[in-house]
Amino acid sequence: MAALTKENVIKALRHVDDPDIKKDLVTLNMIQDIEIEGNKLSFTVMLTTPACPLKEVIKNDCLKAIEEHVGADIEVSVNMSSHVTSTRDNAPLLPQVKNIIAIASGKGGVGKSTVTANLAVALARSGAKVGLIDADIYGPSIPTMFNCEHEQPSIRKEGERNLIIPIEQYGVKLISIGFLTPAENAVVWRGPMASSALKQFIGDTDWGELDYLLIDLPPGTGDIHLTLVQTVPVTGVVLVTTPQKVALADAQKGLTMFMQPQINVPILGIVENMAYFTPEELPDNKYYIFGKDGGKNLAEKHKVPYLGQIPLVQSIREAGDIGYPAVMQDSVTANAFKSLSQQVAQQVAIRNAQLAETKRVELKV
Amino acid sequence: MAALTKENVIKALRHVDDPDIKKDLVTLNMIQDIEIEGNKLSFTVMLTTPACPLKEVIKNDCLKAIEEHVGADIEVSVNMSSHVTSTRDNAPLLPQVKNIIAIASGKGGVGKSTVTANLAVALARSGAKVGLIDADIYGPSIPTMFNCEHEQPSIRKEGERNLIIPIEQYGVKLISIGFLTPAENAVVWRGPMASSALKQFIGDTDWGELDYLLIDLPPGTGDIHLTLVQTVPVTGVVLVTTPQKVALADAQKGLTMFMQPQINVPILGIVENMAYFTPEELPDNKYYIFGKDGGKNLAEKHKVPYLGQIPLVQSIREAGDIGYPAVMQDSVTANAFKSLSQQVAQQVAIRNAQLAETKRVELKV
């Protein structure tokens, strides 16, 4: 056993690795505020995200390390806090936004907006500062899913600039074309108009400080996608697919787009949505309406993380239609979405520890 | 009773109305080749589509009219034939194509391509000449659904022009970006590139004579939609939606787009897809996963025909994934699609009888 000193505590905690980043907490600068008073020790573990799924594991590892390498009779209090990491500190656009995460799918109707809405609410509930851009100009679903279809954002003057103030709902800052045009009207625009709306949502919106800015992309691999990667470096992409062949084919196109060398945005992982249908009165029956494990196989093929599956449950769709995301309810699905949000936050932290900032795409198209 | 003469037969058949167009068959020029030999009478009823759902009704009405107004002891043989009507006889582009039908949805993933594929095969099986343009440049599903992903169209020289020869499968002529690019590659194009692909599919493809050219549109109301209505007058639009609120909102945007005065394309009707899920071993259980009657209510609200509903059945998705459309199988779903194709053909005939040719859209966007 060693004496209870700051040095020995640090030495002991060098034995605790962050299980994702696979370096020890001291090297990672995650140990702060060590205080010793007689037999009492307290310190803070600064996690890379409040949505860290391994919070308890890390805390227990710290307690064990102190017990083993300093002493068993110490009264230890571990304060778990977080500071979301970023590679965007010197970004010219949105420098206060730590991570920009695009949610893409290739194919429409696979539940991209449902996943994005639930991801945003889950991250906000974990304590993170979250924004959401609904980049589906032709079919904005986010206002409905957040039950704020009739809200209209106000404008704030900042010098010569007009900044849109996002709508805040369930702790998430939101912007969507749905707030700016009547719901029944079609937005019949060619690509450049749609692209300039996205640019405004990124550059002319008063986002303030955010840990995660999620971007709900439209289907396809066209104007909006190109404009996004040319406007702002994207931290990573979450790809949503259903297990059916025609959806996987389009998801693969989405993957190929972001992975191609000129674009080169890291893939945070693949979510398999509508993985199976379960009738509420027959919870043991799983119907693989759209096929089985398609998302998992795609992730394996491209060696990207598989973030898990979300079942097709009537209550998820109903939750979206009434504007109260499923993750806010007390159910199996709420847990599935909560777990998904932890997986995504974890992948962002791993990406930030391993890779440099994404480069803004310069290609002229 | 009257004597068996050509005049009296014509007089008798003036009592038979086309139930849709609500004019008599003689006025509509639908009676041809009247032949009388002793006590034997034969004539041809020229329907407006081979997929006419009222074939038997009209035939029986003719037999009854002859019996009632000419005589009961006549040996009558009615030959039911068809000649698909058109308002496009003098069109500068595709004059040999009688009807151009766009299949739209607003939202992606509602089964638009599945409906289009089954509609095309059902119309072809009824005896019509059918072509299909897969206008979803970023997510072409048609090659998979027709099991011809690895086909490559050949080119035919016509004077100075190169004409693409469409791939023929299950009696349908097909063109898709999927035949021209490797399946795994993303088509990362801005709008003008995508639009020019569509223009080629319309103008530089060797379609020959067609009764129906179906156009499977991508989701949204953007470049491809504008280019279509600016390139060629569209006979009518079939709108596909699922019953859920966020899909209906987008379907409504699609409707609004085509109905707006500058565009003004007739709406042939609304199809409700994935209306309910039925497990194969529990055929009496209907699960309204995506809600109930949303498509029907939308049709009523906008006073457009409701073309019926297609259930969410695992075998439909499987049929699409293996490239053998469900309508080619012997099942309840096959009948649902067959009936849908008859509804659509009927609506086209009604539209052609009542409205002048659609105008090509001139607006500059």
Side-chain angles (χ1 to χ4, degrees):
Chain A
M1 289 303 108
L4 178 52
T5 64
K6 212 165 168 174
E7 290 64 40
N8 284 338
V9 168
I10 290 176
K11 227 163 140 183
L13 293 176
R14 282 200 189 274
H15 290 96
V16 182
D17 273 5
D18 179 303
D20 292 323
I21 308 177
K22 306 205 191 330
K23 286 184 184 163
D24 73 272
L25 303 190
V26 179
T27 304
L28 289 170
N29 260 327
M30 284 166 70
I31 304 300
Q32 297 182 2
D33 305 327
I34 302 176
E35 296 200 14
I36 297 167
E37 237 191 87
N39 200 34
K40 286 182 186 166
L41 162 68
S42 77
F43 58 89
T44 296
V45 179
M46 196 57 86
L47 299 168
T48 51
T49 171
C52 179
L54 300 166
K55 214 178 264 190
E56 286 308 304
V57 173
I58 294 174
K59 188 175 176 178
N60 285 332
D61 286 355
C62 288
L63 291 172
K64 259 189 260 167
I66 298 294
E67 190 181 324
E68 203 172 309
H69 300 283
V70 189
D73 54 347
I74 301 164
E75 209 175 295
V76 189
S77 143
V78 186
N79 172 29
M80 303 302 285
S81 185
S82 68
H83 177 83
V84 174
T85 56
S86 178
T87 57
R88 306 195 64 257
D89 303 331
N90 300 309
L93 199 59
L94 300 179
Q96 291 181 293
V97 174
K98 290 185 172 176
N99 296 288
I100 298 176
I101 302 168
I103 324 290
S105 70
K107 188 165 170 59
V110 299
K112 192 171 23 61
S113 298
T114 301
V115 168
T116 310
N118 281 287
L119 199 51
V121 173
L123 288 171
R125 294 193 141 204
S126 79
K129 298 195 192 84
V130 182
L132 197 175
I133 293 178
D134 182 358
D136 194 345
I137 305 297
Y138 304 113
S141 304
I142 292 299
T144 302
M145 291 188 172
F146 278 81
N147 192 26
C148 51
E149 293 155 282
H150 305 293
E151 299 279 339
Q152 287 192 314
S154 35
I155 300 290
R156 185 167 75 73
K157 272 257 176 215
E158 193 178 84
E160 287 299 290
R161 290 172 68 208
N162 285 319
L163 285 180
I164 308 170
I165 300 176
I167 302 294
E168 199 161 335
Q169 180 78 315
Y170 310 142
V172 180
K173 290 182 180 175
L174 307 166
I175 195 73
S176 168
I177 196 81
F179 298 140
L180 308 171
T181 55
E184 307 220 336
N185 286 25
V187 175
V188 188
W189 285 352
R190 290 219 173 254
M193 284 278 282
S195 292
S196 80
L198 176 63
K199 280 186 201 156
Q200 272 205 296
F201 291 168
I202 295 172
D204 298 337
T205 301
D206 189 12
W207 289 113
E209 281 182 28
L210 292 179
D211 292 318
Y212 304 104
L213 175 58
L214 307 186
I215 306 197
D216 183 15
L217 287 171
T221 50
D223 285 277
I224 288 287
H225 305 72
L226 283 169
T227 299
L228 174 63
V229 295
Q230 288 174 341
T231 305
V232 83
V234 174
T235 307
V237 175
V238 172
L239 211 87
V240 184
T241 186
T242 58
Q244 93 212 76
K245 189 175 169 192
V246 291
L248 290 168
D250 292 0
Q252 170 132 331
K253 284 178 197 294
L255 263 185
T256 313
M257 174 188 187
F258 287 108
M259 286 170 108
Q260 63 179 244
Q262 313 96 292
I263 295 186
N264 198 22
V265 176
I267 308 295
L268 299 170
I270 293 178
V271 185
E272 188 173 302
N273 194 29
M274 307 193 198
Y276 51 83
F277 168 67
T278 297
E280 263 153 72
E281 82 282 15
L282 301 166
D284 291 336
N285 288 27
K286 287 184 177 185
Y287 296 100
Y288 293 90
I289 305 179
F290 296 110
K292 209 178 158 186
D293 288 336
K296 195 173 168 194
N297 298 339
L298 187 67
E300 279 167 11
K301 179 173 169 195
H302 290 276
K303 299 185 179 58
V304 298
Y306 177 57
L307 303 172
Q309 53 181 211
I310 308 283
L312 175 58
V313 179
Q314 192 157 333
S315 61
I316 297 182
R317 192 272 311 161
E318 284 168 356
D321 275 3
I322 61 168
Y324 195 78
V327 74
M328 295 167 70
Q329 299 168 14
D330 197 18
S331 69
V332 179
T333 12
N335 288 334
F337 280 121
K338 194 177 158 201
S339 148
L340 174 66
S341 74
Q342 294 176 336
Q343 294 291 324
V344 171
Q346 191 175 19
Q347 290 301 329
V348 171
I350 295 174
R351 177 245 172 275
N352 287 345
Q354 293 176 343
L355 301 173
E357 190 187 3
T358 308
K359 288 198 168 48
R360 193 167 63 79
V361 174
E362 299 279 0
L363 87 174
K364 293 279 170 292
V365 272
Chain B
M1 289 303 107
L4 179 51
T5 64
K6 210 165 170 174
E7 290 66 37
N8 285 337
V9 168
I10 290 177
K11 229 162 134 181
L13 294 176
R14 281 200 189 275
H15 290 95
V16 182
D17 275 4
D18 178 305
D20 292 323
I21 307 177
K22 306 207 189 328
K23 287 183 183 164
D24 72 89
L25 302 189
V26 178
T27 304
L28 289 170
N29 260 326
M30 283 166 70
I31 303 299
Q32 296 182 2
D33 305 329
I34 301 177
E35 295 201 14
I36 298 167
E37 238 191 86
N39 200 35
K40 286 182 185 166
L41 162 67
S42 76
F43 58 89
T44 296
V45 178
M46 197 57 86
L47 298 168
T48 51
T49 170
C52 179
L54 300 165
K55 212 178 265 190
E56 286 308 303
V57 173
I58 294 174
K59 189 175 177 177
N60 284 333
D61 286 355
C62 288
L63 292 171
K64 260 189 261 168
I66 297 295
E67 190 181 326
E68 201 172 312
H69 300 283
V70 189
D73 55 345
I74 301 165
E75 209 175 297
V76 189
S77 141
V78 186
N79 173 28
M80 303 301 285
S81 185
S82 68
H83 177 84
V84 174
T85 56
S86 177
T87 59
R88 306 195 66 258
D89 303 333
N90 299 310
L93 199 58
L94 301 179
Q96 292 180 293
V97 174
K98 290 185 171 175
N99 296 288
I100 298 176
I101 303 168
I103 323 291
S105 71
K107 187 165 170 61
V110 299
K112 192 171 22 61
S113 297
T114 302
V115 168
T116 309
N118 281 287
L119 198 53
V121 173
L123 287 171
R125 292 192 144 205
S126 79
K129 297 193 193 85
V130 183
L132 197 175
I133 292 178
D134 182 357
D136 194 345
I137 306 296
Y138 304 113
S141 304
I142 292 299
T144 302
M145 291 186 172
F146 278 81
N147 191 26
C148 52
E149 293 155 280
H150 305 292
E151 298 279 338
Q152 286 191 314
S154 34
I155 300 290
R156 185 168 74 73
K157 272 257 176 214
E158 193 178 83
E160 288 299 289
R161 290 172 67 208
N162 285 320
L163 286 180
I164 308 170
I165 300 175
I167 301 295
E168 199 161 336
Q169 179 79 314
Y170 310 141
V172 180
K173 290 182 179 173
L174 306 167
I175 194 73
S176 168
I177 196 81
F179 297 140
L180 309 171
T181 55
E184 308 219 335
N185 286 24
V187 175
V188 188
W189 285 352
R190 289 220 172 253
M193 283 279 282
S195 292
S196 81
L198 176 63
K199 280 186 200 157
Q200 271 206 296
F201 290 167
I202 294 173
D204 298 337
T205 300
D206 189 14
W207 289 113
E209 281 183 29
L210 292 180
D211 293 317
Y212 305 104
L213 175 58
L214 308 186
I215 305 197
D216 182 15
L217 287 171
T221 51
D223 285 278
I224 288 287
H225 305 74
L226 283 169
T227 299
L228 173 63
V229 295
Q230 288 173 342
T231 305
V232 83
V234 175
T235 308
V237 175
V238 172
L239 210 85
V240 183
T241 186
T242 58
Q244 92 213 77
K245 190 174 170 194
V246 291
L248 290 167
D250 292 359
Q252 169 131 331
K253 284 177 196 292
L255 264 185
T256 312
M257 173 187 186
F258 287 109
M259 287 171 108
Q260 62 179 245
Q262 313 95 292
I263 294 186
N264 198 22
V265 176
I267 307 295
L268 299 169
I270 293 178
V271 186
E272 187 173 303
N273 193 31
M274 306 192 200
Y276 51 85
F277 168 66
T278 297
E280 263 153 73
E281 81 283 13
L282 301 165
D284 292 336
N285 288 26
K286 287 184 177 185
Y287 296 100
Y288 293 92
I289 304 180
F290 296 110
K292 209 177 158 187
D293 288 336
K296 196 174 169 192
N297 298 338
L298 187 68
E300 279 166 11
K301 179 174 169 194
H302 290 276
K303 299 187 176 56
V304 299
Y306 178 57
L307 303 171
Q309 52 181 210
I310 308 283
L312 174 59
V313 180
Q314 190 157 335
S315 62
I316 298 182
R317 190 273 310 163
E318 283 168 355
D321 275 3
I322 62 168
Y324 195 77
V327 75
M328 295 169 70
Q329 299 168 15
D330 196 19
S331 69
V332 180
T333 11
N335 288 334
F337 280 121
K338 195 178 158 197
S339 148
L340 174 67
S341 75
Q342 294 175 336
Q343 296 291 324
V344 170
Q346 191 175 19
Q347 290 302 329
V348 171
I350 295 174
R351 177 245 171 274
N352 287 345
Q354 292 176 345
L355 302 173
E357 190 187 3
T358 309
K359 288 197 169 48
R360 193 168 62 79
V361 173
E362 299 278 1
L363 86 175
K364 293 280 171 292
V365 272

